[in-house]
């Protein structure tokens, strides 16, 4: 559990932001959250459906944040706030 806490701490979120990302991606989703923030995917985009799957499902299933962003662009969707 300490390892997860350290990983989340390195993402650099305020506590309320961290709770929201955990709710969206799970307690082990710190690296995904970091990658999303790096490429500009907003937390509010986790529920966006791309090609029949929600963004959060794609990311949790192993699709990279970069790939999800490219897929959204190809579909004419924005994952930014």
């Amino acid at each position: 559990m300490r390892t997860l806490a350290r990983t989340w701490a390195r993402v650099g979120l305020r506590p309320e932001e961290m709770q929201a990302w955990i709710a969206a991606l799970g307690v082990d989703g710190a690296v995904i959250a970091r990658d999303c923030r790096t490429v500009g995917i907003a937390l509010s985009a986790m529920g966006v459906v791309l090609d029949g799957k929600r963004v959060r499902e794609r990311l949790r299933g192993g699709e990279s944040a970069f790939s999800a962003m490219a897929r959204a662009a190809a579909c004419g969707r924005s994952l930014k706030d």
Side-chain angles (χ1 to χ4, degrees):
M1 192 62 135
R2 285 183 179 170
T3 301
L4 288 174
R6 276 191 227 108
T7 303
W8 276 105
R10 280 183 281 215
V11 177
L13 300 168
R14 294 186 323 260
E16 59 276 3
E17 288 178 301
M18 184 179 356
Q19 289 174 345
W21 280 102
I22 289 171
L25 298 172
V27 73
D28 60 340
V31 173
I32 299 169
R34 181 204 62 207
D35 292 348
C36 285
R37 294 181 75 222
T38 298
V39 300
I41 297 175
L43 177 61
S44 60
M46 294 297 108
V48 172
V49 177
L50 299 174
D51 294 330
K53 285 178 83 174
R54 295 189 190 284
V55 170
R56 78 173 143 257
E57 294 165 352
R58 292 186 166 285
L59 296 169
R60 297 275 306 155
E63 186 168 336
S64 73
F66 180 80
S67 176
M69 186 66 96
R71 183 185 300 274
C75 294
R77 305 289 304 267
S78 175
L79 300 182
K80 298 180 181 236
D81 272 338

